[in-house]
Amino acid sequence: MKVVIVGGVAAGATAAARIRRLDENAEIVVFERSGYISYANCGLPYYIGGVIEDPEDLTLQTPESFYSRFRIKMKIHHEVTAIDPGSKKVSVKNLETGEAFEESYDKLILSPGARAAQPEIPGVGLERVFTMRTVEDTFRIKEYISQYRPKSAVLAGGGFIGLELAENLRELGMKVTIVQRPRQLMSPFDSDMASFIHNEVRRHGVELKLGYTVEGFEERDSGVDVLLKDSKPLHADMVILAIGVVPDTHLAKAAGLELGIKGSIVVNERMETSVSDIYAAGDAVQVKHYVTGTDALISLAGPANKQGRIIADNICGGDSCYLGSQGSSVIKVFDLTAAVTGINETNAKKAGLDTDTVILSPMNHAGYYPGGKVMTIKLVFEKETYRLLGAQIVGYEGVDKRIDVLAVSIHAGLKATQLKDLELAYAPPYSSAKDPVNMAGFMVDNISKGRLKQWHLEEAALLPRDGSAVLLDTRTAEEFARGHIDGFQNIPVDELRERLGEIERDKPVYVICQSGLRSYIAVRILEGNGYEAYNFSGGFRFYDAVMNDRCLIETAAACGMDG
Amino acid sequence: MKVVIVGGVAAGATAAARIRRLDENAEIVVFERSGYISYANCGLPYYIGGVIEDPEDLTLQTPESFYSRFRIKMKIHHEVTAIDPGSKKVSVKNLETGEAFEESYDKLILSPGARAAQPEIPGVGLERVFTMRTVEDTFRIKEYISQYRPKSAVLAGGGFIGLELAENLRELGMKVTIVQRPRQLMSPFDSDMASFIHNEVRRHGVELKLGYTVEGFEERDSGVDVLLKDSKPLHADMVILAIGVVPDTHLAKAAGLELGIKGSIVVNERMETSVSDIYAAGDAVQVKHYVTGTDALISLAGPANKQGRIIADNICGGDSCYLGSQGSSVIKVFDLTAAVTGINETNAKKAGLDTDTVILSPMNHAGYYPGGKVMTIKLVFEKETYRLLGAQIVGYEGVDKRIDVLAVSIHAGLKATQLKDLELAYAPPYSSAKDPVNMAGFMVDNISKGRLKQWHLEEAALLPRDGSAVLLDTRTAEEFARGHIDGFQNIPVDELRERLGEIERDKPVYVICQSGLRSYIAVRILEGNGYEAYNFSGGFRFYDAVMNDRCLIETAAACGMDG
């Protein structure tokens, strides 16, 4: 059996090594256009910032090491230029010698990845305007910075790569501005949760220009002007484009393979394309979303590696299936950790799901053990069924743990109400006897039993302030004085029973406190005394963080318009 | 409705607060024998070491704070001396005034906890021989240390409390010896995994006397002699007994409630005892083991809190069930984190289960990102069904995360083969694209498909060394020279294909490398060339750590016998 693989990074390298482990006699040839195989894609931004010092750490495997261990021919600087499924051959060009040749295959694996999206605007080709995707891109940026010591950078795009770059360029002491059209960074998060990311990024001196459309680049004054629609240009010593990636599937298209979203390759559960004996995996393929069951494009290293392994199994006589991607991901944003799994509220609503959420702010470990820090959890579940749809967490230590616990819960089909039953490992340095995930489960359990009715952030401005409802803040007088929502009256929870007379009967009561806990107790006291009461999920802490961020975005936008 | 609760710490305090939240009108009285309610049981050792500085951090709730928020009467220094289920009354003694009185109840909750086990040996009552369970015990030890500045301590017992105490006493600069009859610390772990704990404890200067029976204590030379069976006595300035706990159920027994293991209270899924209107929760009750379905005694704070909540639900008209305990726990042992969930191999075999294991040593995050450290994972699963039975992990950062991922997997009934499908959140600072838990799943998947046959630690000494089998070490010559198992020959994996001629045909090949990865590749090469080959799960790294520990235990035991 002869297997040809197009692309030797995550899925391609994994498939190649596993095919060898399953079949000592297969002939395996990998064509990789770049000069590197099996490289640490996700580590590239950290090399630019100097966190990863040795470039060899990024490229642990070489064609030589791969051959000596696996007897796999890794042909770097070789570009596959065409596929002929009829004769089962690919056309290959040696990019170093210019030589062109054909290679036959019994099985073909396409793992070409995705390429950096390049906007079709003037100035994209300027010397100081970089894109960031490959090892070569990274070395180019690193070298430019070493040589010219730029003092400022504009990053176009604030997704994973953009944010990791922002952090690493700040590490180098550079002034950094992130500009993009969407009004929030990190689209896997809902806009309320993204506010915590915005606040952290600003706290570390990164300027955010959200809601701005980049129209082009112009070389000026030994730097670049970034031209914005309806606003004055930004100026920086260099620009890096990180506006996302698109599946690199021109080969598949030319060969007549069925394509899906954004030209991605359509595959079945066995990772087979529409053409027999051709498989595909990684950032180039369309997957089923594990939660919604709909077609999706999810570029993540974990799924790519799993898909490569599955293809190897199937090529070697097995029958392995890819179950779909659920979008579990995590990012370090300066001191913050932000993580997500499943779908967010925005996408759930777009998918037509009837959703509810709980938002909570637990400590990562026992409050009495030193070093505990608050995280913010947003859980998205389906009304009626309580099916767990997704979770987002921002915070510090322990965020990655809780997102993984929730990722497994989603994978296993647990309901949000069942999170209360999880028995997680507890000792004071690691967690609380009631783990944050349990706490989320308790809240959903209370909702499911009619013991907790909630109001949410987007309702805050809409609450009746005409006297037809009671707006109640149950924090202490000191906390209330430091900041509160207009129209709210203050009765601390511990005085509530004595002061019930101050709360008008027969009117709904909307309650808030700092984190949501005292207001929940107040809601229970009120309901126990015949009131209809609603708890604000997330507390004033959450409200304040989101509102401050939105205000800054509005102000920045207004300034831009003036300029 | 009037609810009386015996014991106001974890389960009792949780039940009390939730009953109030569900029923504003219930009368709730809690009798607590000690002077503290709802205290941070698991934090007590850290107060002794000064990690937690303020004693008020241990006792966040007071009877006053509880009353002002929940209108619950927390009667501290009140001991319930008898229960009369017929008349539905308890007899109570005020320990401060000596006053005795009766209190009626509609519903009674027993959450008396467990008490420190005290061996019936001479000298247990000596002034310098302490037990460690309550806040009062803790203050007593702390005060003694502050006043007399003891330079050395013997800890009898090396479970959770014993190890946490050892660490905290070392923090204070004291010489610490742990002595106990079992030959391993931390019985939830298999003895091989416990070796990593032993090695860490020794590395921090704690002397281990394992396999010794303490026969008594004698005051001598302004200290205590700890008398040992068949060995010379130990001497220290103070002794702390931490040999475990027993359910504190004399009340329940006298009232005729059905009792189970070690006198624990038998309850059903609703946490009802054998007597109507009496519920019980926490360390005093017998639970179903979630994995085996058998009766078990599992003293953990998480389950206690969940049980208290369930009782509150059921008392207030709900129908909540406790699904059993799976023994998820974690402990910080100096720099090490050791965690466990489900059952270990020893207990699985005792329960008559046909088990297999995989052992692996992955990094906690991407190797190319700085600060990565190796953890050791042992996964226990059922042969044939691949049901996940338990997991043990020792290591550093990220251990608590992986044990929780596995705890959820067990809770959700996932098979060990399904761990390969989990989509966990990855970025270089947090994990690898193939998470350690995925890696464990890949190994089990390979076993289930006949692609991986293993040999285990206990077989090492039994491997045929008469030429009827080939014993093969596939590390580099340098690694092999630094240490290897007697009788093994060395062929580095990357030379194996060329040197197959050196390996006799028609004989089974037992392969080892450093971590288990290169030997797995070697096994696949051998099988691909017609050999029957077996991989050593865990690698020489694991073998060496366990064997060194066992050797030290044997040597120490031999010395003791001589003395």
Side-chain angles (χ1 to χ4, degrees):
Chain A
M1 179 174 63
K2 180 172 173 186
V3 181
V4 169
I5 301 176
V6 181
V9 190
T14 296
R18 183 153 173 90
I19 291 169
R20 169 61 68 232
R21 289 196 298 267
L22 299 181
D23 184 347
E24 184 66 8
N25 299 313
E27 184 183 351
I28 307 169
V29 185
V30 181
F31 296 111
E32 166 60 39
R33 186 171 38 192
S34 82
Y36 303 91
I37 57 155
S38 192
Y39 60 80
N41 224 323
C42 304
L44 300 179
Y46 297 98
Y47 174 66
I48 289 177
V51 176
I52 297 171
E53 292 177 11
D54 187 348
E56 289 193 7
D57 283 345
L58 299 172
T59 54
L60 277 180
Q61 295 281 5
T62 62
E64 295 70 32
S65 72
F66 227 84
Y67 186 78
S68 75
R69 181 146 303 171
F70 297 112
R71 295 296 184 278
I72 290 167
K73 292 175 207 147
M74 283 283 189
K75 302 279 198 183
I76 57 171
H77 297 305
H78 279 68
E79 181 168 10
V80 173
T81 54
I83 304 166
D84 181 357
S87 65
K88 297 180 89 170
K89 280 183 185 164
V90 294
S91 305
V92 188
K93 186 174 178 189
N94 181 331
L95 298 177
E96 288 187 319
T97 65
E99 177 204 7
F101 60 94
E102 288 191 332
E103 188 88 34
S104 66
Y105 65 81
D106 296 311
K107 305 285 180 183
L108 177 66
I109 302 175
L110 302 179
S111 46
R115 54 185 169 75
Q118 285 218 341
E120 294 197 358
I121 52 177
V124 162
L126 289 177
E127 194 201 351
R128 295 188 187 86
V129 177
F130 297 85
T131 54
M132 168 83 194
R133 176 74 188 164
T134 62
V135 176
E136 279 90 345
D137 292 341
T138 307
F139 288 167
R140 209 173 292 131
I141 292 169
K142 178 89 175 172
E143 198 179 303
Y144 183 85
I145 291 173
S146 304
Q147 192 168 351
Y148 296 101
R149 307 270 166 196
K151 289 193 172 59
S152 59
V154 165
L155 305 180
F160 285 94
I161 297 290
L163 280 186
E164 288 171 350
L165 269 175
E167 177 177 340
N168 277 284
L169 296 179
R170 287 295 296 153
E171 282 286 323
L172 298 177
M174 290 171 68
K175 180 178 179 300
V176 176
T177 304
I178 298 177
V179 59
Q180 64 171 26
R181 196 179 316 176
R183 289 208 166 200
Q184 75 162 78
L185 303 175
M186 293 294 294
S187 59
F189 291 80
D190 285 317
S191 74
D192 49 5
M193 295 297 283
S195 285
F196 290 84
I197 299 172
H198 298 172
N199 293 338
E200 178 73 3
V201 164
R202 285 193 201 99
R203 201 168 70 81
H204 285 87
V206 174
E207 191 181 356
L208 289 185
K209 303 286 276 183
L210 304 177
Y212 290 82
T213 304
V214 176
E215 296 198 312
F217 308 98
E218 279 180 8
E219 198 153 337
R220 191 175 307 248
D221 302 338
S222 70
V224 185
D225 264 10
V226 180
L227 309 177
L228 304 179
K229 188 177 175 191
D230 300 330
S231 181
K232 62 184 175 193
L234 304 170
H235 183 83
D237 294 344
M238 70 187 295
V239 169
I240 305 178
L241 302 178
I243 57 173
V245 294
V246 286
D248 194 0
T249 56
H250 59 282
L251 265 185
K253 187 179 179 184
L257 272 61
E258 187 185 344
L259 302 184
I261 302 171
K262 286 190 186 175
S264 56
I265 303 172
V266 171
V267 290
N268 63 12
E269 277 195 334
R270 287 169 47 90
M271 306 307 295
E272 294 164 334
T273 70
S274 61
V275 173
S276 64
D277 295 321
I278 305 183
Y279 297 75
D283 291 357
V285 305
Q286 175 175 290
V287 294
K288 290 278 176 230
H289 198 292
Y290 191 85
V291 174
T292 60
T294 54
D295 293 331
L297 209 55
I298 296 179
S299 297
L300 290 169
N305 278 291
K306 288 188 178 71
Q307 292 161 10
R309 190 176 188 277
I310 286 165
I311 290 177
D313 283 359
N314 291 334
I315 283 183
C316 298
D319 186 19
S320 290
C321 287
Y322 186 67
L323 305 174
S325 297
Q326 69 184 63
S328 302
S329 54
V330 59
I331 183 172
K332 175 176 166 332
V333 183
F334 295 97
D335 302 332
L336 199 76
T337 296
V340 59
T341 187
I343 53 173
N344 62 27
E345 189 182 5
T346 311
N347 290 335
K349 285 191 194 306
K350 273 187 198 160
L353 293 163
D354 191 13
T355 61
D356 197 359
T357 63
V358 292
I359 292 164
L360 61 160
S361 313
M363 302 276 279
N364 68 311
H365 65 57
Y368 57 80
Y369 190 87
K373 289 195 174 160
V374 171
M375 66 178 73
T376 306
I377 303 180
K378 179 174 183 175
L379 204 72
V380 184
F381 56 95
E382 195 173 30
K383 274 184 189 166
E384 308 280 329
T385 68
Y386 296 98
R387 182 161 73 105
L388 189 53
L389 300 174
Q392 299 154 62
I393 314 182
V394 291
Y396 305 89
E397 250 184 81
V399 165
D400 57 327
K401 172 161 77 172
R402 274 60 182 223
I403 211 71
D404 276 358
V405 163
L406 290 161
V408 180
S409 300
I410 289 175
H411 182 87
L414 294 188
K415 296 185 177 200
T417 46
Q418 292 179 284
L419 298 177
K420 70 179 192 307
D421 301 323
L422 297 179
E423 189 186 314
L424 304 168
Y426 159 60
Y430 306 97
S431 181
S432 296
K434 296 164 185 162
D435 188 88
V437 176
N438 292 140
M439 293 299 299
F442 292 147
M443 292 170 71
V444 181
D445 178 58
N446 286 333
I447 291 172
S448 76
K449 291 175 175 157
R451 287 168 183 153
L452 173 59
K453 296 195 289 277
Q454 299 189 112
W455 61 284
H456 295 289
L457 184 78
E458 309 306 337
E459 296 164 59
L462 310 170
L463 290 178
R465 284 169 169 84
D466 60 357
S468 64
V470 178
L471 311 186
L472 182 67
D473 190 319
T474 58
R475 294 176 297 164
T476 63
E478 294 72 36
E479 289 174 286
F480 187 77
R482 279 201 293 271
H484 58 265
I485 308 180
D486 278 350
F488 272 68
Q489 69 178 103
N490 179 227
I491 303 181
V493 63
D494 290 344
E495 301 172 15
L496 184 57
R497 289 187 182 85
E498 283 76 20
R499 295 173 62 181
L500 277 178
E502 298 175 34
I503 301 176
E504 289 185 81
R505 297 256 156 208
D506 304 322
K507 290 182 178 174
V509 188
Y510 295 88
V511 192
I512 194 169
C513 70
Q514 187 65 14
S515 77
L517 187 59
R518 283 171 291 170
S519 55
Y520 164 58
I521 293 169
V523 161
R524 294 307 311 158
I525 293 172
L526 289 165
E527 297 253 341
N529 283 282
Y531 289 87
E532 179 188 334
Y534 298 85
N535 188 39
F536 180 69
S537 198
F540 185 77
R541 181 188 163 280
F542 181 77
Y543 176 90
D544 200 41
V546 177
M547 287 304 161
N548 277 337
D549 169 51
R550 290 188 180 172
C551 182
L552 287 170
I553 295 173
E554 291 305 320
T555 311
C559 289
M561 299 308 164
D562 295 339
Chain B
M1 179 174 64
K2 181 172 173 185
V3 181
V4 169
I5 301 176
V6 181
V9 189
T14 296
R18 181 152 173 92
I19 292 170
R20 171 60 69 233
R21 289 197 298 268
L22 299 180
D23 185 346
E24 184 65 7
N25 299 312
E27 185 184 350
I28 308 168
V29 186
V30 180
F31 295 111
E32 166 60 40
R33 187 171 39 192
S34 82
Y36 303 92
I37 58 156
S38 192
Y39 60 81
N41 223 325
C42 305
L44 299 179
Y46 296 99
Y47 175 66
I48 289 177
V51 176
I52 296 172
E53 291 178 12
D54 187 346
E56 289 192 8
D57 283 346
L58 299 172
T59 56
L60 277 180
Q61 296 281 3
T62 62
E64 295 70 32
S65 72
F66 226 83
Y67 186 79
S68 75
R69 182 147 301 172
F70 296 111
R71 295 296 184 276
I72 290 166
K73 291 176 209 146
M74 283 283 190
K75 304 279 199 182
I76 57 170
H77 297 305
H78 278 68
E79 181 168 9
V80 173
T81 55
I83 305 165
D84 181 357
S87 65
K88 297 180 90 170
K89 280 181 184 162
V90 294
S91 304
V92 188
K93 187 174 176 186
N94 181 330
L95 298 176
E96 287 187 319
T97 64
E99 178 204 6
F101 60 95
E102 290 190 329
E103 189 88 32
S104 67
Y105 64 81
D106 296 311
K107 305 284 180 185
L108 177 66
I109 302 174
L110 301 179
S111 46
R115 55 185 169 74
Q118 287 219 338
E120 294 196 358
I121 52 176
V124 163
L126 289 177
E127 196 200 350
R128 295 188 187 86
V129 177
F130 297 85
T131 54
M132 168 84 193
R133 176 74 188 165
T134 63
V135 176
E136 280 89 346
D137 292 342
T138 307
F139 288 168
R140 210 173 291 131
I141 293 169
K142 177 90 174 174
E143 200 180 300
Y144 183 85
I145 291 174
S146 304
Q147 193 169 347
Y148 296 101
R149 308 269 166 197
K151 291 192 173 59
S152 60
V154 165
L155 306 180
F160 286 95
I161 298 291
L163 279 186
E164 287 170 351
L165 269 174
E167 178 177 340
N168 277 283
L169 296 179
R170 287 294 297 154
E171 283 286 323
L172 299 176
M174 290 170 68
K175 179 177 180 300
V176 177
T177 304
I178 298 178
V179 60
Q180 64 171 28
R181 195 178 319 175
R183 289 208 166 200
Q184 75 163 79
L185 303 175
M186 293 294 294
S187 60
F189 291 80
D190 285 317
S191 74
D192 50 5
M193 294 297 282
S195 286
F196 290 85
I197 299 173
H198 299 172
N199 292 340
E200 177 74 2
V201 164
R202 286 193 201 98
R203 201 169 70 82
H204 285 88
V206 175
E207 191 181 355
L208 289 185
K209 303 286 276 184
L210 304 177
Y212 289 84
T213 304
V214 176
E215 297 197 313
F217 308 99
E218 277 178 12
E219 198 154 336
R220 192 177 305 248
D221 302 339
S222 70
V224 185
D225 265 10
V226 180
L227 309 178
L228 304 179
K229 189 178 173 190
D230 300 330
S231 182
K232 63 185 174 193
L234 305 169
H235 183 83
D237 294 343
M238 70 185 296
V239 169
I240 305 179
L241 302 179
I243 57 173
V245 295
V246 286
D248 193 358
T249 57
H250 59 282
L251 265 184
K253 186 181 180 185
L257 274 62
E258 187 184 343
L259 302 184
I261 302 171
K262 286 190 188 175
S264 57
I265 303 171
V266 170
V267 291
N268 63 14
E269 276 196 336
R270 288 169 47 89
M271 304 309 293
E272 294 163 335
T273 69
S274 61
V275 173
S276 64
D277 295 322
I278 305 184
Y279 296 75
D283 291 357
V285 305
Q286 176 176 290
V287 295
K288 290 275 176 232
H289 198 291
Y290 192 85
V291 173
T292 59
T294 54
D295 294 330
L297 208 56
I298 295 179
S299 298
L300 291 168
N305 278 291
K306 288 189 180 72
Q307 292 161 7
R309 189 176 188 276
I310 285 165
I311 290 177
D313 283 0
N314 290 334
I315 283 182
C316 298
D319 186 19
S320 290
C321 286
Y322 186 68
L323 305 174
S325 298
Q326 69 184 64
S328 302
S329 52
V330 59
I331 183 172
K332 174 176 165 337
V333 184
F334 296 96
D335 302 332
L336 197 77
T337 296
V340 59
T341 187
I343 54 175
N344 62 27
E345 188 182 6
T346 312
N347 289 334
K349 287 191 192 304
K350 274 187 199 160
L353 294 162
D354 191 13
T355 61
D356 197 359
T357 63
V358 291
I359 292 164
L360 61 160
S361 313
M363 301 278 278
N364 67 311
H365 65 57
Y368 56 80
Y369 191 86
K373 288 195 174 161
V374 171
M375 65 178 74
T376 306
I377 302 180
K378 179 174 182 174
L379 205 71
V380 184
F381 57 95
E382 195 172 31
K383 273 185 189 164
E384 309 278 329
T385 68
Y386 296 98
R387 182 161 72 106
L388 189 54
L389 300 174
Q392 300 154 61
I393 314 182
V394 291
Y396 304 89
E397 251 184 81
V399 165
D400 57 326
K401 171 161 79 173
R402 274 58 181 223
I403 211 72
D404 277 358
V405 163
L406 290 161
V408 180
S409 300
I410 289 175
H411 181 88
L414 296 186
K415 295 184 179 200
T417 46
Q418 292 180 284
L419 297 177
K420 71 181 190 307
D421 301 324
L422 296 181
E423 189 186 316
L424 303 167
Y426 158 61
Y430 305 97
S431 183
S432 296
K434 297 164 185 164
D435 189 86
V437 176
N438 292 139
M439 293 299 298
F442 292 146
M443 291 169 73
V444 181
D445 178 59
N446 286 334
I447 291 172
S448 76
K449 290 175 176 156
R451 288 168 183 155
L452 172 59
K453 296 195 289 278
Q454 300 189 110
W455 60 284
H456 295 288
L457 185 77
E458 310 305 338
E459 295 165 60
L462 310 171
L463 291 177
R465 286 172 168 85
D466 59 358
S468 64
V470 178
L471 311 186
L472 182 67
D473 188 321
T474 58
R475 294 176 298 163
T476 63
E478 294 73 36
E479 290 174 286
F480 186 76
R482 279 200 293 272
H484 58 265
I485 307 179
D486 277 352
F488 273 68
Q489 69 179 103
N490 179 225
I491 302 179
V493 62
D494 290 343
E495 300 172 14
L496 185 57
R497 288 185 182 87
E498 284 76 20
R499 295 174 61 182
L500 278 178
E502 297 174 35
I503 301 176
E504 290 183 82
R505 296 257 156 208
D506 304 322
K507 289 184 181 174
V509 188
Y510 295 88
V511 192
I512 194 168
C513 71
Q514 186 65 15
S515 77
L517 187 59
R518 283 172 290 171
S519 54
Y520 164 58
I521 293 169
V523 161
R524 294 308 310 161
I525 293 172
L526 289 165
E527 296 253 339
N529 283 282
Y531 289 87
E532 179 188 335
Y534 298 85
N535 188 38
F536 179 69
S537 197
F540 185 76
R541 180 188 164 278
F542 181 77
Y543 176 89
D544 199 41
V546 177
M547 287 304 162
N548 277 336
D549 169 51
R550 291 188 179 171
C551 181
L552 287 170
I553 295 173
E554 291 305 320
T555 310
C559 290
M561 300 306 165
D562 294 340

